Amino acid sequence: MSLSKEEQDFDLQEPLTSSTTPLSNSTLTIRVIKSFPYRNVKNFILRNYNLKEKTGYDLFNDCIKHIQTDGAFRPFRNVNYDTMKIYTHAHGFKTVNLVINFEHDDDDWVLDIKNPKGKPLCEYDIENETEISLYNLEEYIKYKVNPVEKW
């Protein structure tokens, strides 16, 4: 049984992986930011993630669970993560800052992680291969005011 073009949430005519992968089977890169000035960032991949059903709240809790259970993230456990924001969309332009995207602080790039019944991730225009940053908002605000990198 094949779906009509209107029923599909992906497009086989476009060769980009963001448009050929169903929203119910997406891959996301999560960028866990421990320190902005020292550029302490560790990534992990969420595979087979359902962007049609999962919300920002679900994604946040799945990420916190990963940090708490994966031994490689032990040094990242002492941060009070409270914000998630899209770093870059698949096949989109990259920011010049290697740690965080300073743009889009006041729009749909910041996910609602507080509301369990929030909108699905696909309504944030998140699709396959999107990168999302997880960080502490207070530390981000301090860094944005004075984005000096330390070594």
Side-chain angles (χ1 to χ4, degrees), residues 98-149:
L98 298 176
V99 180
I100 190 81
N101 182 346
F102 282 138
E103 305 296 320
H104 305 285
D105 284 345
D106 300 321
D107 59 19
D108 259 0
W109 284 42
V110 178
L111 307 184
D112 177 7
I113 62 170
K114 306 275 191 247
N115 183 1
K117 298 190 187 288
K119 65 184 179 179
L121 294 172
C122 62
E123 290 185 23
Y124 290 97
D125 290 330
I126 295 174
E127 50 191 18
N128 189 49
E129 296 186 8
T130 298
E131 293 183 35
I132 300 173
S133 299
L134 173 64
Y135 57 93
N136 177 276
L137 182 60
E138 185 178 327
E139 293 300 316
Y140 169 70
I141 291 169
K142 285 184 208 172
Y143 180 68
K144 190 171 180 180
V145 170
N146 185 24
V148 175
E149 294 176 358

